[in-house]
Amino acid sequence: MKPNQSDPTVQPVPASVVATVDAADTTLSNPRWAVVALGANLGNRLENLQGAVDALGDTPGLRVKAVSPVYETEPWGVEAGSQPAYLNAVALVRTTLPPSSLLERAQAVEEAFLRVRDERWGARTLDVDIVAYADVVSDDPVLTLPHPRAHERAFVLAPWHDVDPEALIPGRGPVAALLAETGRAGLTPRPDLELRLPE
């Protein structure tokens, strides 16, 4: 489900803006690395994750540079069997957007896929979480960086480690060590499913 003109998160972008964004990949206009975790356990889960990757890729000031393998995982924080299993993945992006604008975009993408926020840890069509943004450490309640629970969630650590084995979580340490400590219980690799980089 690649976003089209009916997708409320996609607006026409002037050619001059596109040119500036494209130049950001090769000039030092201060692009930063960010890590975005994706999850879905309602609807066509893989299609929803791919739609999120494509929508992020359509964002001015952002380029999706890598997407992880897909994992199937048990829902976090709820009674076993009370929700469908999740598909999870991680995307690495380069962006000139500040964290607050990246958060706004992530939430807009969720809303485009009819994400409902009725309950904490509720089932969802799409979850788009900013896990880390460069080396920023912030306790802002609107966007805490790095994500306050990423270091203990195998469904974030495993796909992140797959695409960046040397990754560090600011203030927490190497993703590889955190994954070793957390373990891979409840994670099922899905090599039959694949996410594509945006065209």
Side-chain angles (χ1 to χ4, degrees):
M1 177 179 167
K2 187 160 183 175
N4 52 40
Q5 292 305 316
S6 66
D7 179 347
T9 72
V10 178
Q11 302 297 328
V13 180
S16 60
V17 174
V18 173
T20 300
V21 170
D22 287 342
D25 279 343
T26 54
T27 64
L28 295 178
S29 54
N30 206 29
R32 303 289 189 92
W33 283 103
V35 181
V36 180
L38 307 172
N41 72 336
L42 295 178
N44 187 322
R45 300 172 300 165
L46 184 66
E47 189 173 282
N48 293 351
L49 296 187
Q50 185 64 59
V53 170
D54 291 341
L56 289 171
D58 284 341
T59 304
L62 186 152
R63 288 288 181 269
V64 180
K65 292 297 189 178
V67 289
S68 75
V70 176
Y71 288 83
E72 191 159 37
T73 67
E74 293 303 313
W76 173 275
V78 297
E79 183 179 344
S82 64
Q83 290 183 18
Y86 274 84
L87 291 184
N88 290 99
V90 159
L92 302 185
V93 307
R94 284 283 267 176
T95 184
T96 56
L97 299 176
S100 59
S101 297
L102 185 58
L103 175 64
E104 289 175 4
R105 178 57 173 162
Q107 292 176 339
V109 172
E110 289 179 340
E111 290 168 8
F113 283 82
L114 307 179
R115 162 74 185 270
V116 176
R117 297 178 181 274
D118 285 343
E119 59 179 307
R120 189 179 191 191
W121 296 322
R124 59 206 62 184
T125 53
L126 185 62
D127 197 17
V128 182
D129 281 335
I130 302 169
V131 176
Y133 183 99
D135 56 359
V136 172
V137 176
S138 169
D139 59 3
D140 184 335
V142 176
L143 177 58
T144 303
L145 291 168
H147 190 288
R149 292 174 296 280
H151 66 284
E152 59 189 22
R153 293 182 167 178
F155 62 81
V156 173
L157 297 172
W160 187 359
H161 181 262
D162 287 340
V163 288
D164 187 1
E166 305 301 317
L168 299 170
I169 300 183
R172 296 289 183 180
V175 167
L178 294 166
L179 178 59
E181 183 179 333
T182 302
R184 294 175 176 262
L187 284 182
T188 303
R190 290 295 305 268
D192 56 313
L193 303 178
E194 185 178 3
L195 294 172
R196 306 177 309 278
L197 286 171
E199 296 175 1

